[in-house]
Amino acid sequence: MIKQTENIILPLESETVSQGADKEKIEGIVHSRFMKHLRHVPNSRMEIKILSSIQFTADMLDHSDAHVAKVLVDMGLRAPRMAFPVEFLDFADSCLMRSGWEVGGPSQALIELNEHWGRIGEDKFAGFKRQYSLLDDGVYASG
């Protein structure tokens, strides 16, 4: 049910989407818009095409980029970290730092995505390498 190219596995729509509940219909809409836009992105790098298609789909459906990425990962999308929006990577890294039985722990799809990242050679410690910019409130009054 998946199409694989190099380090990327694209999701295929399941058979139950067309006849299932509202959640599965939303997944079908996300999948169809994502796949249609993926073909039209004028770039040779597949990671950029995936990121652009996630952002386009999110804009068209008025959802967040992270939500669309999560739906696609749940449907089988496996790609390098570069192909995902920052909000989704923050969510995934936060979930993967928790135990599986904790509230907010990783789903099976996130665990499989993390294993995929390990197989393709992504940095194991990327979730820990976060930078938090500090804002210096340098407001000075002259007078």
Side-chain angles (χ1 to χ4, degrees), residues 5-109:
T5 60
E6 302 163 8
N7 297 333
I8 296 170
I9 301 172
L10 295 176
L12 293 178
E13 189 173 20
S14 69
E15 295 82 26
T16 59
V17 167
S18 59
Q19 54 187 320
D22 290 340
K23 177 187 174 202
E24 291 161 346
K25 288 180 184 175
I26 290 171
E27 287 177 354
I29 292 168
V30 167
H31 180 269
S32 65
R33 298 247 174 140
F34 171 78
M35 294 304 285
K36 284 179 185 175
H37 190 264
L38 190 66
R39 287 180 238 141
H40 298 293
V41 177
N43 199 309
S44 61
R45 293 191 60 191
M46 195 61 172
E47 295 92 351
I48 303 302
K49 291 175 85 158
I50 290 172
L51 179 60
S52 176
S53 297
I54 288 171
Q55 292 170 335
F56 174 82
T57 303
D59 290 344
M60 288 288 101
L61 298 176
D62 198 28
H63 291 289
S64 71
D65 296 350
H67 180 256
V68 170
K70 182 191 177 304
V71 168
L72 291 168
V73 166
D74 289 345
M75 293 178 74
L77 176 64
R78 304 292 181 263
R81 291 178 69 90
M82 179 188 289
F84 293 102
V86 173
E87 297 89 11
F88 174 76
L89 292 174
D90 288 341
F91 163 76
D93 291 338
S94 296
C95 286
L96 290 167
M97 287 186 204
R98 296 185 183 103
S99 299
W101 56 83
E102 284 186 59
V103 174
S107 65
Q108 185 62 33

